[in-house]
Amino acid sequence: MRPPGGRAVRPVSGHARRCGPGDAHPLHIGDGTSLELSKGHSAGCGVRAPFWGRANRRNWREPTAATVAWPGNVCIDEATTTSRPRSGVRERCARHDKAGQARVRHAPGTDEGSLHRLPAPLEACRPRCRRRDAPGTAPFSRTTRVRGMRTGERPVAEMFKRPDMTLPGPRGGVFARHLAAYDADPIGFLTACRREYGDVFRFDTGVVVISDPELIQRVLARTNSDSVPNANPLDGGRFPTPEQTRRWMRARRLALPIFRPATLPSRLPAVRQALADDLNALDGVLFDPSERAWAICVRALLPLYVPGPAPELVTALLGSFDASLRAGEAAVRVPSWMPSRLRRRVRAADQRVRDEIGPMLAPGRAEHGDDRPGTLLEHILAQPEPAPRDIAMGAIGFTFLGAIGTMGAVWCWLLYCLAAHPAAAERVRSEVTAATADEIARHPEQALPYTHAFVHEVLRVYPPAWLLGRDAITGLDLGGFEVPAGTAVMFSPYLLHHDPRWWDAPDRFDPERWLKAKPPHAPNAYLPFASGPRGCLGTHLGIAVLVLTAAHVAAHQRLEVPGLDQITPHFGPSTLTPRGMTCRLVGTS
């Protein structure tokens, strides 16, 4: 450290000494990454800045235009790579206050009673206060997760890039009051911020929220090029590597032919039968839809993935989904080097899915020779060039898990809307009774236009993934604001679907808006399943499952939902579900 006009003090090889006026304070950045290293010393443990004597504290300069302010009141000079405390600020290591401080002789020309104090060497306190930052994130960042919204993350590569300080946004102060306000009412808080700050605003350090449909579409369309889906918190928040992205996209392409709209008519009869069996089994049972939806969706989709029943695979998939859901609800960012019970549970559940799929991929295991449509497993085994094992497992297991999450959430809201809007439910029943069973099973969209519109209105009012995001891997221009790489760009389909600028009467449940010749919304303002290269693979299949569910319940069962007016939306970290809902299905035919 070098105060103007004085002699600098810096730690070298775990000790402190007086340095010349031209010396700069070397700085370590994270695990294994460094800038101008000084042997034996590191600031990677989270050291903010030393104590400074009264006289010298008055001599320190304010940050200039060439500096970047980071959490912890540390300024990093871009030109000299010198770490300096802000003027008038006394800081200490946030994680080893009791580790001891090295007393250093006062600098010439200062108050004899003032003492320079430097943090204890990293080697002496690493077991106690090692920072929880994963490789690839800034060691001075403070990371929090609140209902899926991340705060305080910046990658090392962009550590010295100046953020656009003109970007408006809430100021929560040192107590982060805006985070508490967001947690208490996420939709109300984001709506108020959008009205006050506009369609692009800063939520917190390293997090930007956008509400303009054109900007959202631009970000989604450039996924894998300019951004990636939000990093997994159990992997330390690290971005996927380019190789991981390529392999994931290859798995998607391998599964795509099974989910194309042209191939669905031959596959939907089996899906309809699986749904009917599960719904009939609930006859007279009082149940919570959020506890049954996932299993019903897994069994409904199973005929598209593997031939014949596979109860062990169903159990493994439900276990993996439950483990991932619990990890998301915990909202904890765990560095990759830190032992984690959540991570162990998720990885063990994923391994059980692989153990069930692995034997199915043996050559000649599934041969398709009858008239029924082929499954995804048979499609993979029939490839002229065998797919790598991990690609095949990803195409089956993890596209399956991605499909049931959003589908299960909106399946709950479908039952809620059938009970909450009896006039619309009666019109669905009349439409279903007028169509033939074969028409409904093979072409539900054409045979049941109003039911199809009803499902789209459910998806508009209650989008299952209410908050989505991408992590920028390059600098982005969003509405004239420069957003550096490493920023989490978040957007809410729920806010988009309830914005009166893009919809007429967005607060009214009106399925008929979808029966008009013109789209009922502004371009790109309807995103129930996202879009772009990483959008939902089974969008058409998911809508078909919801239409078939609504048709069966309306035509063959009576839906009873006690306490309908007490059900409220639960904005979880990943999905939007009804809170406090129980229902009963009573057969009528």
Side-chain angles (χ1 to χ4, degrees):
M1 299 285 183
R2 180 170 51 86
R7 298 178 66 81
V9 177
R10 68 173 179 174
V12 176
S13 301
H15 301 285
R17 67 172 180 86
R18 289 163 43 182
C19 306
D23 292 338
H25 183 69
L27 183 65
H28 279 223
I29 309 296
D31 296 337
T33 307
S34 58
L35 299 173
E36 305 271 339
L37 296 186
S38 174
K39 183 189 302 182
H41 177 71
S42 171
C45 67
V47 175
R48 298 294 198 265
F51 287 123
W52 299 96
R54 292 187 301 274
N56 282 340
R57 224 173 35 244
R58 292 193 297 269
N59 291 333
W60 286 99
R61 295 174 294 173
E62 290 283 355
T64 63
T67 62
V68 180
W70 290 92
N73 297 310
V74 171
C75 297
I76 308 299
D77 192 296
E78 290 177 330
T80 63
T81 318
T82 300
S83 178
R84 299 172 295 159
R86 294 182 185 176
S87 176
V89 177
R90 299 179 68 178
E91 291 291 325
R92 67 172 61 196
C93 173
R95 301 192 62 80
H96 68 292
D97 293 340
K98 299 180 181 179
Q101 303 290 334
R103 181 169 294 188
V104 187
R105 295 173 57 187
H106 64 276
T110 62
D111 182 3
E112 292 290 333
S114 66
L115 292 175
H116 297 289
R117 292 179 180 270
L118 291 175
L122 173 65
E123 293 76 13
C125 61
R126 181 179 291 274
R128 280 182 281 180
C129 66
R130 183 175 180 180
R131 287 285 295 180
R132 290 181 291 175
D133 297 286
T137 59
F140 295 133
S141 67
R142 172 177 56 84
T143 302
T144 314
R145 272 185 182 265
V146 187
R147 291 181 187 258
M149 190 76 78
R150 302 185 309 156
T151 67
E153 288 187 24
R154 295 294 297 277
V156 170
E158 293 296 320
M159 187 172 180
F160 296 99
K161 186 176 180 63
R162 285 178 54 83
D164 189 345
M165 302 308 293
T166 63
L167 192 65
R171 297 183 179 274
V174 294
F175 298 106
R177 289 183 296 269
H178 68 299
L179 299 183
Y182 169 82
D183 192 42
D185 181 12
I187 289 299
F189 180 83
L190 293 178
T191 300
C193 287
R194 196 266 302 165
R195 290 173 178 167
E196 182 174 356
Y197 304 114
D199 286 328
V200 183
F201 64 88
R202 171 188 47 78
F203 176 81
D204 199 53
T205 304
V207 181
V208 172
V209 179
I210 56 177
S211 301
D212 182 88
E214 295 297 331
L215 292 179
I216 295 173
Q217 179 60 30
R218 188 190 311 167
V219 171
L220 291 176
R222 297 286 298 171
T223 302
N224 296 340
S225 299
D226 296 343
S227 62
V228 292
N230 289 147
N232 186 345
L234 295 183
D235 287 335
R238 292 179 297 179
F239 296 164
T241 65
E243 178 60 23
Q244 289 173 328
T245 298
R246 283 192 292 269
R247 297 183 77 83
W248 173 246
M249 294 305 297
R250 184 177 175 185
R252 281 177 56 97
R253 288 192 296 270
L254 184 60
L256 184 60
I258 302 298
F259 299 100
R260 287 198 176 103
T263 67
L264 290 182
S266 61
R267 308 176 192 278
L268 289 180
V271 174
R272 186 191 183 201
Q273 186 59 51
L275 283 170
D277 292 343
D278 275 331
L279 292 171
N280 291 335
L282 294 173
D283 188 21
V285 178
L286 188 66
F287 65 95
D288 183 345
S290 62
E291 296 178 355
R292 302 292 186 110
W294 322 116
I296 291 175
C297 291
V298 167
R299 287 190 286 266
L301 298 180
L302 193 64
L304 279 75
Y305 280 84
V306 296
E312 295 83 4
L313 178 58
V314 170
T315 302
L317 287 168
L318 290 174
S320 180
F321 177 77
D322 183 69
S324 299
L325 191 64
R326 291 178 184 274
E329 292 286 347
V332 176
R333 176 174 178 259
V334 182
S336 58
W337 52 265
M338 178 182 291
S340 167
R341 181 178 300 177
L342 282 173
R343 185 191 295 119
R344 289 196 300 269
R345 288 176 178 174
V346 171
R347 289 180 176 175
D350 289 347
Q351 186 58 48
R352 285 192 288 272
V353 174
R354 294 187 182 94
D355 291 342
E356 293 297 328
I357 296 176
M360 299 180 182
L361 295 173
R365 175 65 185 268
E367 297 181 356
H368 179 225
D370 50 22
D371 294 334
R372 63 177 174 79
T375 63
L376 177 56
L377 175 63
E378 294 163 337
H379 168 73
I380 293 173
L381 294 176
Q383 295 297 304
E385 182 177 343
R389 192 176 185 82
D390 62 328
I391 300 294
M393 286 188 176
I396 296 176
F398 299 107
T399 62
F400 208 142
L401 291 171
I404 64 176
T406 53
M407 192 182 303
V410 75
W411 192 88
C412 300
W413 286 113
L414 179 70
L415 297 184
Y416 171 82
C417 290
L418 286 172
H421 304 281
E426 178 60 27
R427 185 166 174 181
V428 169
R429 188 194 65 79
S430 300
E431 187 178 64
V432 172
T433 55
T436 66
D438 186 67
E439 290 175 338
I440 294 174
R442 294 185 175 275
H443 303 282
E445 180 179 354
Q446 300 174 13
L448 307 173
Y450 183 82
T451 307
H452 192 263
F454 183 90
V455 166
H456 275 290
E457 187 67 354
V458 174
L459 288 167
R460 182 192 71 82
V461 178
Y462 303 106
W466 73 275
L467 183 67
L468 297 170
R470 296 290 186 264
D471 288 328
I473 56 178
T474 64
L476 301 177
D477 183 346
L478 298 177
F481 296 103
E482 293 295 328
V483 175
T487 303
V489 181
M490 311 298 295
F491 59 91
S492 172
Y494 186 94
L495 291 182
L496 200 63
H497 295 177
H498 290 79
D499 195 325
R501 296 177 297 171
W502 323 126
W503 300 81
D504 292 331
D507 296 329
R508 185 177 72 241
F509 187 87
D510 181 18
E512 294 204 21
R513 74 172 79 229
W514 298 94
L515 300 176
K516 300 176 182 178
K518 295 178 61 177
H521 54 82
N524 304 314
Y526 180 57
L527 289 172
F529 299 113
S531 64
R534 301 297 285 265
C536 182
L537 188 66
T539 297
H540 297 284
L541 175 62
I543 292 175
V545 168
L546 296 172
V547 170
L548 293 174
T549 299
H552 183 89
V553 171
H556 304 291
Q557 295 174 305
R558 185 177 73 253
L559 177 62
E560 300 175 357
V561 182
L564 190 65
D565 56 343
Q566 299 178 3
I567 299 172
T568 58
H570 170 57
F571 296 91
S574 55
T575 55
L576 172 64
T577 53
R579 173 184 287 161
M581 179 178 176
T582 57
C583 58
R584 179 185 290 109
L585 295 172
V586 180
T588 58
S589 61

